[in-house]
Amino acid sequence: MDAVTATPEQTLAWLTLLRAPDLGPRRLLPLLAQQPNPQALLDSPPPETPEKVRRALAAADRDQARRDLEWLQNSDTRLLPVTDPAYPELLRELPDPPPALFLRGDPLLLALPQLAIVGSRHASRGGLENARRFARFLAGNGLLVTSGLALGINGAAHEGALERGRTVAVTGTGLDRVYPARHRDLAHRIVENGLLVSEYPPGTPPRPGNFPRRNRIIAGLSLGTLVVEAALNSGSLITARLASEAGREVFAIPGSIHNPQARGCHALIRQGAKLVETGEHIVEELASQLGLLADPDTPAESPATPEGELEPDHLELLETMGYDPVSTDQLVAKSRFSAAEISSMLLLLELQGHVSSEAGGLFIRLGNLHT
């Protein structure tokens, strides 16, 4: 649906509602259901409106709302209220959708099918590579990749998606700032080839409580959520839970039983998440509701140097490694190679994308990252 062009006065009324203290979606949305005109709601709340809510509406910071409007008019950001026909229907299905979204980039992307990719901020190199390759494959097969602009898996997913398609980033701050700061360049590229989304007005800092709320938007916009790597206490599991509660698909990539960043994924799989090893698994799972078919001209990802083209000694070392983290000393004890030979081969295998060096001097085989 096309967006409704709001007048400056209507936009100011929405911005004023957003500046009412302690008036979140669960209190504001029932009022909007009775009175969808924001100015009328501010001027004359419905008779049954609780006194606490009336006080919040009266206390809305109108001066700050006018500054917000000035910022909107002088930036490339627009406001999309929940009452607008262009508001995403999937997001509207949540019990507490944002009353309005701030958008920077291409707002038409909100109408396209999205797949959330989330995971640990402290991901392994193998996890980062998985996120990038899955995102690249899925973006090349008609899905927008949606994530949260965080370090680790989120950033890798955005980067991979931009290589073959477009991406949506949902932030936990106002769109006048970028958090984390090191993703400033990435955020600018997303504005040019995707969309930044936030429910928070300008000036909102990165408060800890903002990010679980951001996660519900990531899950709500998407047909499904892929968790790449996550510890048991990861915020990514919140996103997966919210996706499941909303009736959306949840996918998880399994990992080594010795990798603490894989335990969250394993817990999700035990709870019913779909185990995926390739991007095709996700496309096939969603194809029935999307009419998506894998593009035969979009090849599945694989390492730059296929294992079949490796030297026999390198293949032997990979077989010796298995798929659990292993140290050089352990490889010396398990193989016929010297420590110097193993170090040399591990360096080459890492450069070719077959091995990742992890914390504690350990190495892990990445295998054929066919996505």
Side-chain angles (χ1 to χ4, degrees):
M1 284 182 153
D2 294 333
V4 173
T5 301
T7 65
E9 291 75 17
Q10 290 170 327
T11 301
L12 178 60
W14 280 107
L15 292 169
T16 304
L17 280 181
L18 297 180
R19 289 296 183 179
D22 303 317
L23 195 58
R26 290 186 182 272
R27 287 179 173 170
L28 186 53
L29 291 170
L31 297 178
L32 287 168
Q34 299 176 66
Q35 176 49 272
N37 183 314
Q39 189 59 60
L41 180 58
L42 287 164
D43 294 339
S44 180
E48 62 272 25
T49 302
E51 185 58 33
K52 183 176 182 179
V53 175
R54 289 178 179 274
R55 289 197 298 268
L57 290 171
D61 192 336
R62 286 165 166 76
D63 289 337
Q64 182 59 58
R66 281 189 284 271
R67 289 191 288 271
D68 294 341
L69 178 63
E70 183 179 356
W71 174 78
L72 276 177
Q73 292 173 332
N74 292 310
S75 72
D76 56 355
T77 306
R78 61 162 295 182
L79 188 72
L80 182 66
V82 68
T83 54
D84 195 300
Y87 193 93
E89 286 300 324
L90 284 178
L91 188 60
R92 207 194 300 270
E93 292 175 3
L94 296 184
D96 57 346
L101 296 173
F102 293 86
L103 308 176
R104 177 172 287 178
D106 185 356
L108 297 179
L109 297 183
L110 288 178
L112 300 181
Q114 300 175 45
L115 190 285
I117 298 182
V118 297
S120 173
R121 286 176 171 80
H122 308 289
S124 68
R125 287 185 60 183
L128 294 174
E129 188 63 18
N130 273 337
R132 181 186 290 269
R133 294 189 180 207
F134 268 78
R136 185 165 53 211
F137 176 83
L138 293 167
N141 279 270
L143 280 166
L144 274 176
V145 171
T146 300
S147 198
L149 200 64
L151 299 176
I153 296 299
N154 287 11
H158 290 307
E159 294 278 4
L162 287 172
E163 293 178 23
R164 284 223 179 116
R166 307 174 84 179
T167 187
V168 174
V170 185
T171 75
T173 66
L175 292 187
D176 58 334
R177 58 183 67 196
V178 175
Y179 181 82
R182 72 178 72 175
H183 276 173
R184 188 174 303 276
D185 177 67
L186 175 59
H188 290 163
R189 286 190 286 131
I190 291 173
V191 170
E192 294 172 359
N193 294 286
L195 180 66
L196 292 181
V197 178
S198 178
E199 69 177 310
Y200 297 108
T204 304
R207 302 185 185 98
N210 293 1
F211 296 96
R213 296 192 58 75
R214 173 208 62 183
N215 292 349
R216 89 189 192 287
I217 300 178
I218 295 173
L221 287 171
S222 305
L223 292 166
T225 294
L226 169 65
V227 183
V228 177
E229 258 189 3
L232 285 173
N233 61 348
S234 171
S236 301
L237 301 191
I238 297 176
T239 310
R241 175 178 58 81
L242 293 170
S244 179
E245 290 175 353
R248 316 292 166 78
E249 299 288 353
V250 177
F251 307 97
I253 299 176
S256 167
I257 61 172
H258 302 292
N259 179 5
Q261 295 297 339
R263 290 174 184 163
C265 291
H266 295 165
L268 289 174
I269 292 168
R270 288 195 299 273
Q271 294 163 14
K274 292 181 171 64
L275 184 155
V276 295
E277 296 173 312
T278 71
E280 286 97 331
H281 291 164
I282 296 174
V283 172
E284 291 167 2
E285 192 68 36
L286 298 178
S288 61
Q289 51 185 310
L290 295 174
L292 285 176
L293 293 175
D295 183 350
D297 296 325
T298 303
E301 300 294 336
S302 59
T305 305
E307 289 188 4
E309 296 179 11
L310 293 176
E311 296 290 335
D313 286 352
H314 294 175
L315 285 171
E316 182 179 337
L317 182 62
L318 285 175
E319 291 301 317
T320 302
M321 290 182 70
Y323 288 94
D324 288 332
V326 62
S327 68
T328 302
D329 289 343
Q330 289 172 312
L331 289 173
V332 170
K334 293 167 63 177
S335 72
R336 60 182 178 85
F337 303 115
S338 68
E341 290 172 325
I342 288 173
S343 295
S344 176
M345 286 191 285
L346 286 174
L347 176 60
L348 181 60
L349 289 168
E350 185 171 7
L351 291 173
Q352 294 175 334
H354 298 292
V355 168
S356 171
S357 56
E358 304 295 330
L362 299 178
F363 294 85
I364 188 167
R365 178 180 176 180
L366 300 179
N368 187 349
L369 290 177
H370 175 69
T371 57

